[in-house]
Amino acid sequence: MSTYRAPTKEFKFLLETVAPLDALSALPHFEEATPDTVYAIIDESAKFATDVLDPLNWSGDQEGAKHHGADNSVTTPKGFKAAYDGYCGMGGAALPMPAEFGGLGMPRSLITLTDEIVHSSNMSFGLLPMLTQGAIEAILLAGSDSLKQMYLPKMVSGEWTGTMNLTEPQAGSDLALVKTRAEQQADGTFKIFGTKIFITFGEHDFTSNIIHLVLARLPDAPEGVKGISLFVVPKFLVNADGSLGARNDAHCVSIEHKLGIHGSPTCVMQFGDNGGATGYVVGELNRGLEYMFVMMNLARFGVGLQGIGIAERSYQRAVTFARERVQSRDVGAPKNPSVPIIRHPDVRRMLLRMRAQTEAARALAMATAYAFDLAEAHPDADVRKANQAFVEFMIPIHKGWATEMAQDVTYQGIQVHGGMGFIEETGAAQHYRDARITTIYEGTTAIQANDLVGRKMAREGGVTAKALVVTMREFCKSLAASNNLHLKASHTKLAAGIDAVERAIDFNLANFNTNVRACFAGSVPMVKLFGIVCGGWQLARVAVEAEKRIAAGDADKAFYEAKLATLRFFADTMIPEAIAAADTIVNGSHGTLALDEAAF
């Protein structure tokens, strides 16, 4: 099998172009994020992934997590706990967290890259720190000072981990149907009763305590989502001095048998079978879903990174195989002997499709992460507001497109391997299986798409969407002015893609109030359209800088030339798919809605 190597040169180039580190480290909030520090963190993360996490990926998939019915404990695959200890020991859990609670306060632009490294090397492992980050953010946002002091220092260090407990057997993604109930006690605490499903790392053997964030409803709460509250429900109660007390009435009664991510236990959690699980309200009662969406937004961003990470790993494995696999003669040279399959045009097409989409999605994720950082730390309130709007608009696009992209890339990865890709021992199939969940959890692609066309576009009258079109058009002028053939050709395609985006926006705004079903019929193509065109825009930003460095005589010419060629392939082959998506958005609803339900 191939070995994962983090594309650190790529990462550092993105920190010079799409998410300029020099600008970030100039902000007081991120003054510790100097290039020396950031690049050292990237290099150390890359080494840990190659040496520790990647070797456990295959064995963890084969062994899987195990639930033990006698005591409802869960054990993770061999080596996972030691890897987690090493991850926390190198500061991995603390990287994005505030210094007030023991964190390192690094910018999201860096965390985006280190998280991708973890997901590439071992996606099952990476789920735990990803969700703990979200739980910490929710407590930071709305938790009382006592909750913060009680739980955050040990969650930030990684000594304790966190979960998010949303859905239930009858609810699925419709959280208005949540039935888990909370009963207030005389001392101000609550007793929690109910069942939660699909709880990632709801039970495990990594840490001494697990801090569950649980959505529940008080008996007199309003109906629907407005009556949901958020509670901290620890696995073990915590004494006033910070030591662990009695076991709480919260247990994992089983784990799911899944298509992929076998190393990650997905738990059915039962609360309150023995008198009620003790919980502590986070923020105000009946505002739980609002707080949980803090976790949800970070989780959705993180799942998009999972898509990018697994796509990168699939691409690396496919390239290694294509270089080594000798089969068939070279096209156009029939007298030559058999050659490595990377020589064959269609294999090159598949590899470039994998590479170009992965790099585009990564660049778009970095642009979003940089906006995260500016929205948090820029001294100008207007700049913060504009960047926050960009982040909120991009999250459903990033989550939806990057994860759908991962389906295509891991599919192509198997195809490059041919029959060997269908054999588990090559590793290509695991990436395909692991990637499949990313379009489903934390909101399916359709849920992301509905958020995009409804809340993020129609509700605000397309203000952010139209501003994005203006920004991309302004950038396109730099491509048109270039003498580089790849950039000039890419300008023509990208400009057509931006026109297609504008056409789709206009259709959505014109029809949302009068023919809303037509808009939602094209919502998933809308995610694809924005993802491809915005990803192409970011690829082009990178390519423009690459062309400048070539012209300046940079010694790493081959690396920069690859950026230009990758953009050209993306523009020639992916932008047409975006334009087709716009046609589906505008014209496709008639066919989608024509068939009578009884005819299915």
Side-chain angles (χ1 to χ4, degrees):
M1 285 190 179
S2 68
T3 300
Y4 169 70
R5 306 287 181 189
T8 54
K9 186 187 294 187
E10 171 84 4
F11 292 170
K12 292 172 184 177
F13 191 38
L14 289 172
L15 288 170
E16 296 168 356
T17 52
V18 172
L21 187 57
D22 55 352
L24 277 181
S25 59
L27 299 174
H29 196 75
F30 298 125
E31 58 190 3
E32 300 298 321
T34 63
D36 286 348
T37 298
V38 166
Y39 295 155
I41 290 170
I42 290 173
D43 289 341
E44 187 65 21
S45 298
K47 184 176 187 302
F48 183 78
T50 297
D51 294 347
V52 178
L53 295 181
D54 186 54
L56 294 174
N57 191 46
W58 167 255
S59 61
D61 177 72
Q62 296 302 298
E63 181 182 348
K66 300 288 193 302
H67 175 259
H68 306 283
D71 60 358
N72 283 322
S73 64
V74 171
T75 51
T76 53
K78 183 179 179 181
F80 270 47
K81 184 184 186 306
Y84 181 76
D85 292 342
Y87 175 80
C88 294
M90 63 182 280
L95 274 178
M97 296 295 118
E100 177 185 0
F101 297 102
L104 299 178
M106 289 291 116
R108 184 61 50 186
S109 299
L110 169 62
I111 305 309
T112 296
L113 298 174
T114 55
D115 282 358
E116 183 196 318
I117 289 172
V118 173
H119 294 314
S120 279
S121 56
N122 196 319
M123 184 172 143
S124 291
F125 177 93
L127 279 161
L128 181 62
M130 181 184 83
L131 293 174
T132 300
Q133 283 182 34
I136 290 169
E137 291 290 346
I139 296 172
L140 279 171
L141 171 73
S144 65
D145 287 341
S146 60
L147 281 182
K148 291 175 184 176
Q149 294 300 327
M150 181 68 74
Y151 294 105
L152 290 187
K154 290 186 178 180
M155 293 177 74
V156 166
S157 69
E159 186 176 343
W160 296 346
T161 60
T163 70
M164 50 194 297
N165 290 246
L166 284 76
T167 198
E168 300 173 5
Q170 79 290 344
S173 297
D174 187 356
L175 296 179
L177 301 178
V178 162
K179 293 182 179 179
T180 296
R181 81 180 190 277
E183 297 178 358
Q184 190 160 13
Q185 307 300 296
D187 62 359
T189 64
F190 294 79
K191 292 296 183 183
I192 310 297
F193 303 87
T195 303
K196 297 290 184 179
I197 61 171
F198 302 148
I199 309 307
T200 300
F201 278 96
E203 181 61 53
H204 58 79
D205 54 0
F206 286 6
T207 60
S208 60
N209 208 2
I210 302 170
I211 312 306
H212 303 291
L213 267 69
V214 183
L215 289 182
R217 188 186 301 278
L218 269 69
D220 59 351
E223 292 294 321
V225 296
K226 293 183 178 179
I228 297 175
S229 300
L230 180 62
F231 300 90
V232 165
V233 183
K235 175 181 175 180
F236 284 93
L237 301 177
V238 181
N239 299 319
D241 64 359
S243 63
L244 295 184
R247 174 69 190 261
N248 207 353
D249 189 6
H251 300 276
C252 166
V253 295
S254 66
I255 62 175
E256 305 295 353
H257 304 285
K258 302 170 295 188
L259 178 66
I261 54 170
H262 295 149
S264 164
T266 302
C267 302
V268 176
M269 296 296 300
Q270 190 68 31
F271 297 90
D273 275 0
N274 297 294
T278 299
Y280 309 89
V281 68
V282 178
E284 298 178 19
L285 291 172
N286 301 326
R287 293 181 64 187
L289 197 61
E290 174 188 338
Y291 305 142
M292 187 64 89
F293 264 101
V294 175
M295 293 182 70
M296 183 70 76
N297 268 342
L298 272 180
R300 286 174 172 175
F301 187 74
V303 172
L305 295 180
Q306 286 186 322
I308 297 166
I310 205 73
E312 172 66 32
R313 188 65 185 96
S314 180
Y315 169 69
Q316 289 191 19
R317 189 178 298 280
V319 169
T320 299
F321 183 84
R323 292 188 188 283
E324 295 173 351
R325 177 69 162 173
V326 175
Q327 188 171 327
S328 303
R329 294 176 175 178
D330 203 357
V331 174
K335 294 182 180 180
N336 287 348
S338 295
V339 294
I341 63 172
I342 199 169
R343 289 283 306 162
H344 302 319
D346 191 60
V347 173
R348 290 172 59 87
R349 179 193 62 80
M350 288 190 286
L351 292 175
L352 271 167
R353 185 178 177 91
M354 297 170 76
R355 176 191 180 118
Q357 290 188 95
T358 303
E359 290 191 5
R362 177 187 293 124
L364 185 57
M366 286 297 287
T368 306
Y370 187 62
F372 259 113
D373 292 331
L374 294 181
E376 177 183 356
H378 200 281
D380 188 317
D382 289 338
V383 173
R384 292 198 302 273
K385 182 179 178 181
N387 279 279
Q388 185 62 37
F390 179 79
V391 168
E392 291 176 3
F393 189 81
M394 290 309 305
I395 280 182
I397 297 167
H398 160 75
K399 197 279 184 184
W401 181 58
T403 57
E404 292 287 347
M405 174 275 296
Q407 311 310 306
D408 182 64
V409 169
T410 54
Y411 169 90
Q412 300 292 340
I414 290 179
Q415 193 72 10
V416 169
H417 283 75
M420 298 304 294
F422 203 64
I423 306 301
E424 286 286 353
E425 284 76 7
T426 63
Q430 183 189 347
H431 304 321
Y432 193 46
R433 291 187 287 102
D434 286 352
R436 192 62 192 87
I437 186 58
T438 61
T439 62
I440 299 172
Y441 57 19
E442 313 311 339
T444 64
T445 306
I447 288 174
Q448 310 306 316
N450 292 349
D451 181 35
L452 176 63
V453 303
R455 294 185 186 91
K456 303 299 169 58
M457 197 179 302
R459 184 177 292 181
E460 68 161 22
V463 172
T464 302
K466 290 178 178 179
L468 182 58
V469 168
V470 171
T471 299
M472 290 193 291
R473 280 223 171 95
E474 280 297 310
F475 169 77
C476 258
K477 294 177 182 177
S478 64
L479 292 183
S482 173
N483 291 322
N484 182 277
L485 293 178
H486 289 321
L487 292 181
K488 289 181 80 70
S490 298
H491 162 261
T492 302
K493 296 292 177 62
L494 185 56
I498 296 169
D499 289 343
V501 168
E502 187 168 46
R503 180 185 177 207
I505 293 170
D506 290 344
F507 174 84
N508 187 71
L509 297 179
N511 290 277
F512 197 83
N513 292 326
T514 58
N515 192 7
V516 69
R517 287 177 64 78
C519 294
F520 282 105
S523 61
V524 169
M526 185 77 80
V527 168
K528 181 177 182 178
L529 168 63
F530 268 97
I532 291 174
V533 175
C534 292
W537 164 42
Q538 297 303 320
L539 269 188
R541 290 181 64 195
V542 171
V544 166
E545 179 60 27
E547 196 271 337
K548 290 177 182 177
R549 297 192 183 191
I550 292 170
D554 193 294
D556 205 354
K557 184 179 179 182
F559 174 78
Y560 298 119
E561 285 181 336
K563 297 298 162 203
L564 292 163
T566 301
L567 170 65
R568 177 66 181 273
F569 176 88
F570 190 91
D572 285 348
T573 65
M574 297 305 303
I575 295 293
E577 293 188 18
I579 294 170
D583 288 339
T584 300
I585 292 163
V586 174
N587 300 313
S589 65
H590 304 290
T592 301
L593 303 175
L595 189 64
D596 188 85
E597 288 180 18
F600 280 94

